[in-house]
Structures are given as structure tokens and as C-alpha cells.
Amino acid sequence: EVQLFESPSDARQKELLRKLNVLHFHIRDSFNNYLVQTALSFPDSAATEKSSNFPMAELRPYEDEDGCTRRMLRELGIPFTTATVRYSTPKSKRVFDPTYPGVVTLSEHQ
């Protein structure tokens, strides 16, 4: 799922660091309309969460940005050969996620 490794933050203390790479996709059609994710539904529950975000995907440990983009376009049914792909500079932030106690998450969004 994610890569875990230790990063020494202090000589006395070591913290576990979870690195999470996320790609955001700004997909436009020929009329310059953006593809927007309007809802999230989960297979194990009947609940549907409303949203209004650009589609995004997490990089898997064996993928690079290009592989993740190909996977996302394949899931959406868009041929990679017809797409124009540009990558932005990743923005990093440290997040303390309550689902991972004692682990600091370094989240990179691109």
C-alpha cells in the first residue's frame, strides 16, 4: 500500500515516516469541460459521500507518475495515446493521521 521507512528526526528519537504520493488529474474534453468526481461510494457500505473534486489516485509502490497516469486513464476508458499529460511540481506536507498512531505521514500531491 505505502512505503514505510525510518527517518531520524533527532539523535534521541526516531519517528516512523509514511510516504504517500497522490496524483490529481485535471481532465478536459474537447469543449474544455473538466471531469469532476461528484460522489464516492464504497463497496462495503451503502453510504455514498458527495464530493466535488478532481479525480486523484495514489501511486502504488511499484509505479511512477507515468504508470499511475496510464492506470487512471485506463480505468476511465480514455486512451493514453490521445491524452496530453503534464506534471506539476509536487507539494509536500506533514500530516498526523489518527488511523496511523505514532507514524508521521509525508503527503506529496502532484
Side-chain angles (χ1 to χ4, degrees):
E1 176 190 80
V2 294
Q3 299 168 1
L4 282 175
F5 54 92
E6 290 189 19
S7 167
S9 61
D10 192 354
R12 301 176 314 248
Q13 173 186 359
K14 287 190 175 187
E15 65 182 13
L16 282 177
L17 185 65
R18 174 179 170 251
K19 187 174 180 185
L20 181 64
N21 294 320
V22 179
L23 288 181
H24 295 262
F25 296 94
H26 296 218
I27 301 171
R28 288 187 301 198
D29 64 5
S30 58
F31 302 107
N32 280 336
N33 297 321
Y34 281 98
L35 177 68
V36 177
Q37 181 178 351
T38 57
L40 282 172
S41 58
F42 302 98
D44 58 342
S45 70
T48 300
E49 187 178 309
K50 294 188 183 217
S51 68
S52 184
N53 300 323
F54 288 114
M56 60 181 133
E58 294 179 12
L59 263 71
R60 295 180 178 162
Y62 55 86
E63 284 182 327
D64 59 357
E65 289 86 0
D66 207 34
C68 182
T69 302
R70 287 177 185 271
R71 177 174 51 90
M72 179 57 118
L73 291 175
R74 187 173 45 250
E75 289 174 4
L76 293 171
I78 300 170
F80 184 77
T81 55
T82 63
T84 302
V85 179
R86 288 177 292 213
Y87 298 108
S88 63
T89 306
K91 295 172 184 75
S92 298
K93 64 180 177 179
R94 294 172 71 89
V95 181
F96 296 98
D97 191 352
T99 57
Y100 293 94
V103 178
V104 177
T105 300
L106 179 64
S107 179
E108 286 190 357
H109 290 261
Q110 188 173 11

